[in-house]
Amino acid sequence: MKLPQLVQTQFLSVQDVATIINKMGLKTVFMRMADYIRADYLRWHDFEKCARVANHSKDGVIELMPISDAKSYAFKYVNGHPKNTINGLPCVMAFGVLADVDTGIPEFLSELTLSTALRTAAMSAVAAQELARPDSKTMALIGNGAQSEFQALAFHYLLGIEELRLFDTDPKATEKLIANLKSTALRLTVCSSIAQAVHGADIVTTVTADKANAAILTAEHIEAGMHINGVGGDCPGKTELHSDVLHRSAVFVEYEPQTRIEGDLQHLPADFEVTELWQVLARQAPGRRDADQITLFDSVGFALQDYSALRFMRDAARELGLGQVVSLIPELVNPKDLFVLIHPENHEASKSRQHPDFCAILAAA
């Protein structure tokens, strides 16, 4: 009798990802995540791409973000519900899968709530390395919620930002950020208005959560040489920047067909000129042209970054011996006989079977 082939899926929990960060150090994690993102963006044409699939409701959105190359298929499930925090729930929750294209086997299943914050910040830093002035030292951070510390530290570690100028309509959010970053080398300045926060800043990062067509940054806030990192506008009907800000800027995007629908770009005509960031990374288009140019990264989040994050977390887990094997796929002697799984005698027998230890699997990989 032919024995069933074991189909094993590596699972990485939130606690596992936190352990990776604590063991490697956040600076190393950001550096390596950025390296994975750059490497994958330089393979841009290897990927089958599409805008994410979104189901919108009154208070939020649930999205699926797929992408694949010839070897691996990846997707992320993610939501965005700003009112969740009232009930003690995260605004954003996510998980993702890496699967083998040839067989369809889901090889890696991971949390992506914490990992998404990491990859979003790493992506912001990768873009800013190309678009911000190299001597940038000060960043205004508008919106001090769940992703703010990650943005702050990615820019500190990867671009040398030394001072943060903070503003949020919720003072408790700013207090939280200060408490979390007080042991770092960053200088933290609390500002009473957006205008005060952005005045004289080299980089302005907006990362607000409300699902509304807001214009928290307007043309009078913009100064020559600024780089704007627009993170919070990421679905139809949710923006952060006045259209005049985009008209004054050289605008860069992740994947144009998606950003036209979801980004701050959604208010502008279809012929408004933008540059996809992969072209800059591949040296097929210029980034910042001079010290006085205003640059803008209209970031909405793209599936390729999740592919990079999943690859990095899978590899890091293998290096550190973290995670566990889960049984997502049935083991069948006859692959055409799925019904056999619900026979009582077979169900009892299957419960007694043991999977190999995960660390042993990693050692043999």
Side-chain angles (χ1 to χ4, degrees):
M1 179 182 295
K2 184 178 179 181
L3 293 176
Q5 179 180 351
L6 292 180
V7 178
Q8 295 163 338
T9 303
Q10 177 190 0
F11 171 65
L12 210 61
S13 69
V14 176
Q15 292 76 20
D16 292 324
V17 172
T19 300
I20 288 172
I21 297 167
N22 288 326
K23 286 192 172 184
M24 288 188 169
L26 191 53
K27 181 177 182 179
T28 297
V29 168
F30 276 134
M31 292 176 66
R32 291 187 60 181
M33 185 83 78
D35 287 343
Y36 274 62
I37 289 171
R38 281 182 174 273
D40 290 332
Y41 266 73
L42 290 174
R43 296 197 301 119
W44 183 260
H45 295 296
D46 292 343
F47 292 93
E48 184 175 340
K49 300 172 285 290
C50 67
R52 56 188 156 205
V53 180
N55 284 43
H56 295 272
S57 60
K58 177 185 175 183
D59 294 325
V61 62
I62 295 175
E63 301 167 333
L64 288 177
M65 301 172 64
I67 195 163
S68 64
D69 60 11
K71 183 179 179 181
S72 297
Y73 173 93
F75 78 84
K76 180 172 78 173
Y77 165 98
V78 63
N79 76 305
H81 287 76
K83 293 183 180 179
N84 271 3
T85 54
I86 298 171
N87 298 314
L89 293 171
C91 171
V92 175
M93 297 173 280
F95 68 89
V97 169
L98 272 178
D100 177 63
V101 165
D102 290 338
T103 63
I105 293 173
E107 296 178 325
F108 183 61
L109 168 65
S110 178
E111 81 79 39
L112 282 181
T113 307
L114 179 53
S115 300
T116 290
L118 292 166
R119 73 82 158 137
T120 302
M123 184 73 243
S124 293
V126 167
Q129 285 172 334
E130 302 293 332
L131 304 177
R133 298 195 321 273
D135 60 349
S136 297
K137 297 299 179 185
T138 303
M139 182 167 80
L141 188 52
I142 313 302
N144 301 159
Q147 289 203 36
S148 58
E149 292 90 348
F150 298 91
Q151 292 284 329
L153 290 172
F155 277 81
H156 175 55
Y157 291 137
L158 302 187
L159 279 93
I161 290 297
E162 297 174 354
E163 179 184 358
L164 287 181
R165 311 187 70 184
L166 310 173
F167 177 78
D168 195 295
T169 55
D170 178 8
K172 291 184 178 179
T174 304
E175 291 172 8
K176 176 268 305 178
L177 184 148
I178 291 172
N180 284 334
L181 299 185
K182 65 182 179 181
S183 62
T184 71
L186 283 163
R187 298 195 305 274
L188 307 175
T189 302
V190 180
C191 299
S192 59
S193 67
I194 292 172
Q196 182 188 2
V198 303
H199 180 63
D202 302 311
I203 298 172
V204 177
T205 289
T206 57
V207 57
T208 60
D210 285 344
K211 189 179 181 184
N213 281 322
I216 64 172
L217 208 62
T218 58
E220 57 263 29
H221 293 134
I222 307 307
E223 299 173 9
M226 272 185 176
H227 171 62
I228 303 161
N229 178 40
V231 179
D234 58 2
C235 72
K238 183 173 184 284
T239 61
E240 295 180 309
L241 311 178
H242 191 281
S243 60
D244 288 347
V245 174
L246 282 81
H247 281 293
R248 289 192 59 186
S249 307
V251 179
F252 299 81
V253 301
E254 293 139 315
Y255 179 55
E256 184 177 348
Q258 181 173 304
T259 311
R260 294 267 179 203
I261 299 168
E262 299 179 352
D264 285 279
L265 194 60
Q266 65 191 263
H267 293 313
L268 298 182
D271 61 352
F272 182 84
E273 184 178 356
V274 300
T275 302
E276 289 184 328
L277 188 65
W278 74 268
Q279 297 174 289
V280 179
L281 295 173
R283 303 296 180 252
Q284 295 184 16
R288 170 172 290 275
R289 294 178 181 272
D290 57 62
D292 290 331
Q293 186 182 35
I294 299 164
T295 55
L296 192 161
F297 181 45
D298 190 0
S299 171
V300 299
F302 182 51
L304 183 55
Q305 294 142 226
D306 300 308
Y307 172 91
S308 303
L310 286 164
R311 283 204 312 115
F312 168 70
M313 287 302 171
R314 178 200 60 195
D315 294 350
R318 286 175 175 171
E319 290 173 24
L320 298 173
L322 295 171
Q324 60 183 300
V325 169
V326 294
S327 298
L328 288 180
I329 308 303
E331 301 164 15
L332 299 169
V333 173
N334 178 0
K336 295 183 178 181
D337 187 2
L338 186 62
F339 193 78
V340 71
L341 289 174
I342 63 173
H343 291 176
E345 63 274 18
N346 291 323
H347 179 64
E348 291 301 317
S350 68
K351 288 197 297 184
S352 66
R353 297 182 63 176
Q354 299 293 320
H355 282 289
D357 177 77
F358 178 63
C359 291
I361 293 171
L362 294 182

